């Protein structure tokens, strides 16, 4: 870390090699790489990495993992992008074209158009459901479910305890399950528990 802060190109490259995959997964999970949006998740991840490098000289180890610092930077950049997209009035939540759009569907020409429409509709609906969650619960779902991070790591990132993270996740999943059950043709909540 000290070498990267001092500007050593090898240390900076190693740091970016460690940080970029996490940042990219986070950006993709939060933005769902929208078609026609002002910026793709890959672009946002690049922007986050640049912001991390810019802030690196001022970073001070305060006993929290460096990943918590990266998460704060990523959350701020993604929030800015979402605000910009809101001003652009473009729905960026679902990508239905390009190399990141479920390649297995795009590879099947017999089903690609219908599948893409269904995936786009489901993505919009899931995005709406996530948007209804309180910010902390939404963040926990993205970090725990989409990125697969352990509760202890998420707790350190959010400045809370692993138990609180698990409770927030449980409540968020419960809300999402209730939303799905309320949807016309949605699953029976009693059957989902058995």
């Amino acid at each position: 870390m000290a070498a990267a802060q001092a500007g050593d190109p090898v240390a900076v490259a190693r740091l970016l090699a460690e940080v970029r995959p996490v940042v990219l997964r986070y950006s993709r999970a939060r933005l769902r790489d929208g078609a026609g949006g002002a910026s793709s998740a890959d672009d946002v991840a690049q922007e986050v990495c640049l912001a991390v490098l810019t802030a690196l000289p001022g970073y001070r180890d305060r006993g929290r993992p460096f990943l918590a610092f990266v998460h704060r930077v990523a959350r701020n950049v993604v929030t800015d992008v979402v605000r910009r997209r809101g001003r652009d009035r473009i729905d960026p939540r679902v990508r239905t074209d390009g190399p990141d759009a479920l390649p297995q569907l795009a590879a099947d020409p017999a089903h690609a158009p219908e599948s893409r429409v269904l995936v786009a509709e489901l993505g919009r609906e899931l995005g709406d459901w996530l948007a209804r969650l309180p910010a902390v619960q939404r963040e926990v779902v993205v970090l725990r479910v989409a990125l697969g991070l352990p509760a202890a790591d998420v707790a350190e990132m959010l400045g809370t305890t692993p138990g609180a993270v698990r409770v927030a996740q449980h409540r968020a999943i419960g809300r999402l399950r209730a939303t799905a059950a309320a949807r016309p043709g949605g699953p029976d909540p009693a059957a989902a528990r058995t």
Side-chain angles (χ1 to χ4, degrees):
M1 180 61 68
Q5 284 181 305
D8 176 12
V10 173
V12 169
R14 283 186 22 216
L15 180 70
L16 281 178
E18 293 288 325
V19 167
R20 191 172 193 301
V22 173
V23 167
L24 185 58
R25 284 193 310 267
Y26 179 80
S27 298
R28 285 180 177 166
R30 287 291 310 274
L31 298 172
R32 290 167 306 280
D33 205 17
S39 27
S40 71
D42 292 344
D43 294 338
V44 172
Q46 189 70 22
E47 193 175 331
V48 171
C49 288
L50 182 60
V52 166
L53 288 179
T54 302
L56 191 59
Y59 170 75
R60 300 290 173 254
D61 185 2
R62 293 184 172 93
R64 297 183 72 194
F66 181 70
L67 198 54
F69 168 76
V70 171
H71 174 259
R72 274 194 312 278
V73 172
R75 185 175 52 200
N76 291 339
V77 170
V78 167
T79 299
D80 290 345
V81 167
V82 169
R83 282 187 195 129
R84 284 194 308 259
R85 286 182 176 178
R87 288 192 299 264
D88 292 343
R89 305 230 184 255
I90 294 173
D91 185 359
R93 291 179 289 191
V94 178
R95 184 176 185 96
T96 57
D97 62 350
D100 295 334
L102 298 176
Q104 68 274 17
L105 295 177
D108 185 359
H111 300 342
E114 296 86 358
S115 296
R116 287 182 179 189
V117 168
L118 291 173
V119 167
E121 288 175 12
L122 180 60
R124 275 190 291 278
E125 193 168 5
L126 290 174
D128 290 343
W129 293 359
L130 283 173
R132 293 179 197 164
L133 292 175
V136 171
Q137 289 180 3
R138 183 174 47 248
E139 199 72 14
V140 166
V141 168
V142 168
L143 294 170
R144 292 275 293 143
V145 177
L147 297 180
L149 295 176
D153 291 353
V154 173
E156 288 184 37
M157 289 177 180
L158 300 179
T160 187
T161 65
V165 166
R166 286 188 282 276
V167 167
Q169 179 181 348
H170 176 75
R171 288 180 179 160
I173 298 299
R175 283 182 172 203
L176 292 173
R177 188 175 286 136
T179 301
R183 177 178 169 229
D188 177 15
R193 291 187 192 127
T194 59

